[in-house]
Amino acid sequence: MKTRKAYYSSVLLIIGILILINILSTDFFVRLDLTENNRYTLSKATEDIVENLTEPVTVKAYFSENLPPNVAQTRQDFKDLLVEYANLSDGNLVYEFINPNEDPQLEQEAGQAGISPVMINVREKDQVKQQKAFLGAVIEMGTQKDVIPFMQPGEAMEYALTTSIKKLSVVDKPTVGLIQGHGEPTVQDMAQAAQALTVLYNFENVTLTDSTEIPAKYKALALVAPKDTIPPMHLAKLDAYLAKGGKLLVALNKVEGDLQNATGNLVNVGIDDWLSGKGVIVENKFLTDANCAAVTVRQQQGNFSFQSRVQFPYLPILTNFSDHPITKGLEQVILPFASPLTFSGDTTVNYTPLAYSSNKSGTSTAPTYFNIQQKWTEEDFPLGEQTVAAAIEGNLAGNTMSKMVVIGDGDFAINNKGGGQPQPVQEDNVSLFVNGIDWLSDDTGLIDLRTKGVSSRPIDQLEDGMKATLKWVNFGAPIVLAILYGLFRSQRRRLQRIKRMEVSYE
Amino acid sequence: MRSIWIIAKRELQSFFDSLIAYIMLILFLGFSGFFTWIYGADVFLVGQASLQSFFDIAFWTLFFFIPAITMRMLAEEKKTGTIELLLTKAVTDREVVIGKFLACFLLVAIAIAFTLPYYITLANIGNVDYGAVWCGYLGLLLMSAAYVSIGLFTSSITNNQIVAFLLALFIGLFFHIIFNVLASNLTGFMGQLFHTLSLSVHFESLSRGVIDTKDVVYFLTIVALGIILAESNLAKRNLSN
């Protein structure tokens, strides 16, 4: 018989070993990222950028210490991330952690660098007090600096850090022009897209004139939502630009919807013939899709007015993309008042559809009047998938290879649509626009990274009957199965018992 | 090894021959199914092809159901004296505890396996992130294993089932939420300690879709601790001073 002492000391020893293993595991751990797009692993883009650093980069991380663990986790995550970057960079990336709360001078330094503190509730000595927390970083390369004022925990960190490094390490940024002069939005009106583009490019307004040629410095041009007629002279200038190997992104509003007056009209800017010469027709129709966004409607009933959300098929939600660098990783793009595209070219042009509407789509001719109260049925969506964005490659003008991206809607990436406050647009909408420019300029480096954090996984459009069936089958089937198994088992036991009670003559 | 398996099989069979297994299955599946598909933040309301709503609800239902399964495992045997019969057979204390652990764990695993139709349905109507779903299931299994071993431990220290149930819930509550709450407004070493001890933190980390050895080691440690402590409680009777 063992003695009590010997037994308990062996139990304590095992417990001690277990605790030790746990302590060790915080420092030596392996991570296996099973998410579909490897959301928590460094992307190829980051690897390329960090491996190819030529100059030393210094990351000064201004992080407060002594924070509650859920916030402190951000610091730890950022540190883990920096360790991986430093390993990849072959010694070109060094980092240091600074605690600005220690010293008012450091705090001032952080503030001047553009890192703004956030207030966090901390419990200390039985009192809840507010503490200033710094969660930012300054990235330096040579004399240049870039600031991440506030670090979002999670996958957004990698995007912020890599784009900062990329921003600093790009020498001679190529220029991308946003065509002006026909009622188009300016760079400022597309704040979200401009912000994403300035990492790699100088994104600036360019006004087309009758006399001067488009300078060759523009690596790509974007023609977004023109409202006024484009004179043929300007189109000729675009042709000349394409003939020199220029690249062009066209996001065209062929129809426009006015929700205030509930009317939808045709927009004619005189570009149709020119575009169809390149091989693409943007149709004079509204695309309607059963998979759509909702609008808020104010309804009056007697003395009561109330607001309700109504599904509005003129705002298609696209989830169906082809496998192409531009649409890589995109999950959900909303194109308000879009028009379908058709191909009109021949074999000399390589036409690649990029995005489609759902398989329950329809069209409605313009001009039209929107009936918000309309009860949409199956019959309203007789058409299958409709192309709404496409890439074309080939000798588009002259004998030089050139590339264009055409999107059947102009407003999708514009923040300031004229009048009122700028509205934020979907992340993926911006990504579609920026990826398009990236592909045209042959720089697909950041596409991987841009769409990494997006994680919307919408379920398919289902009819109500189907939905109800799925609901009850999923709710009921497992329970019924369990009950059936129970009945089967008790029946079998009963038979066994009866058999045992029978007289046996063997 | 063989005797562990025989004990586990016997126990599992006795679950399915009594009403316990069916009540547990129907309640668990009823709760999970109701809140995943019909009411609350259900799949169609959220509109996302993800099983997050199921994992959230299972996180709580399992927390309550597991002590109800484990409460009688050792307590009842001790009360009725059958534990003596069992232990005089050619099996060690450890084999008894591990066998009973396996039986409870398998019952919970079977209950979780009954929700696979949810996954199949979702995979057919949307683009599911497979890695995240499988990691979520793995997280549920590891969490169940941890609570089963806590339940076995509490069942081993008393011969009253109700006490065992309440104790298991009480201990579980610390791992489930209290450590997390403490961690969120403490700083420094204590904060970090509670953060590491909190089971929900590790569960969330797993259900993102990333298998981290840290989290796996944490769950396995709780399992091992529960089993060792339960075993040492059984072993007490054989110890001399």
Side-chain angles (χ1 to χ4, degrees), chain A residues 3 83 183 372 435 447 502:
Chain A
T3 63
V83 170
I372 297 281
N435 288 355
I447 288 182
E502 277 169 4

Side-chain angles (χ1 to χ4, degrees), chain A residues 239-246 393-403:
Chain A
D239 269 335
Y241 171 73
L242 286 174
K244 282 186 289 184
E393 288 167 273
N395 301 336
L396 300 174
N399 288 324
T400 332
M401 270 293 284
S402 185
K403 297 199 274 192

Side-chain angles (χ1 to χ4, degrees), chain A residues 294-316:
Chain A
V295 286
T296 309
V297 184
R298 180 179 288 280
Q299 279 170 314
Q300 191 80 30
Q301 208 152 57
N303 279 330
F304 298 101
S305 92
F306 57 93
Q307 291 192 333
S308 59
R309 304 277 293 162
V310 179
Q311 295 281 313
F312 195 54
Y314 292 94
L315 311 176

Side-chain angles (χ1 to χ4, degrees), chain A residues 167-405:
Chain A
K167 221 189 271 181
L168 297 180
S169 61
V170 180
V171 271
D172 300 332
K173 281 187 190 178
T175 308
V176 170
L178 183 64
I179 297 175
Q180 302 288 309
H182 325 93
E184 293 97 341
T186 61
V187 167
Q188 290 72 32
D189 295 331
M190 302 184 71
Q192 266 175 285
Q195 198 195 358
L197 279 171
T198 44
V199 176
L200 294 177
Y201 313 98
N202 297 316
F203 187 46
E204 57 182 44
N205 296 324
V206 47
T207 311
L208 295 190
T209 57
D210 290 350
S211 48
T212 47
E213 294 288 314
I214 299 170
K217 69 167 180 173
Y218 291 108
K219 201 150 186 201
L221 289 179
L223 176 64
V224 178
K227 288 197 181 78
D228 310 326
T229 310
I230 302 173
M233 275 302 287
H234 289 182
L235 293 176
K237 293 279 182 274
L238 282 179
D239 269 335
Y241 171 73
L242 286 174
K244 282 186 289 184
K247 315 280 163 43
L248 180 65
L249 183 143
V250 180
L252 188 65
N253 269 341
K254 192 63 220 170
V255 288
E256 64 176 6
D258 181 352
L259 277 174
Q260 291 299 321
N261 303 318
T263 50
N265 296 308
L266 214 57
V267 182
N268 200 347
V269 294
I271 197 178
D272 300 351
D273 290 340
W274 184 80
L275 260 186
S276 74
K278 311 283 176 228
V280 181
I281 296 174
V282 183
E283 292 188 43
N284 289 331
K285 289 171 185 165
F286 280 100
L287 173 72
T288 52
D289 191 332
N291 189 13
C292 60
V295 286
T296 309
V297 184
R298 180 179 288 280
Q299 279 170 314
Q300 191 80 30
Q301 208 152 57
N303 279 330
F304 298 101
S305 92
F306 57 93
Q307 291 192 333
S308 59
R309 304 277 293 162
V310 179
Q311 295 281 313
F312 195 54
Y314 292 94
L315 311 176
I317 296 179
L318 310 180
T319 55
N320 199 351
F321 303 99
S322 53
D323 188 17
H324 190 276
I326 297 182
T327 47
K328 194 168 175 220
L330 292 185
E331 280 170 351
Q332 179 168 326
V333 172
I334 299 182
L335 294 187
F337 304 110
S339 310
L341 304 184
T342 43
F343 180 56
S344 61
D346 46 30
T347 49
T348 58
V349 179
N350 191 358
Y351 173 84
T352 322
L354 297 176
Y356 310 91
S357 58
S358 78
N359 55 13
K360 280 184 203 148
S361 302
T363 51
S364 95
T365 47
T368 184
Y369 172 76
F370 302 134
N371 178 7
I372 297 281
Q373 305 299 343
Q374 184 175 349
K375 293 274 175 280
W376 295 82
T377 60
E378 249 341 66
E379 286 78 49
D380 293 314
F381 306 108
L383 305 175
E385 295 171 354
Q386 300 290 306
T387 309
V388 282
I392 44 178
E393 288 167 273
N395 301 336
L396 300 174
N399 288 324
T400 332
M401 270 293 284
S402 185
K403 297 199 274 192
M404 274 176 72
V405 172

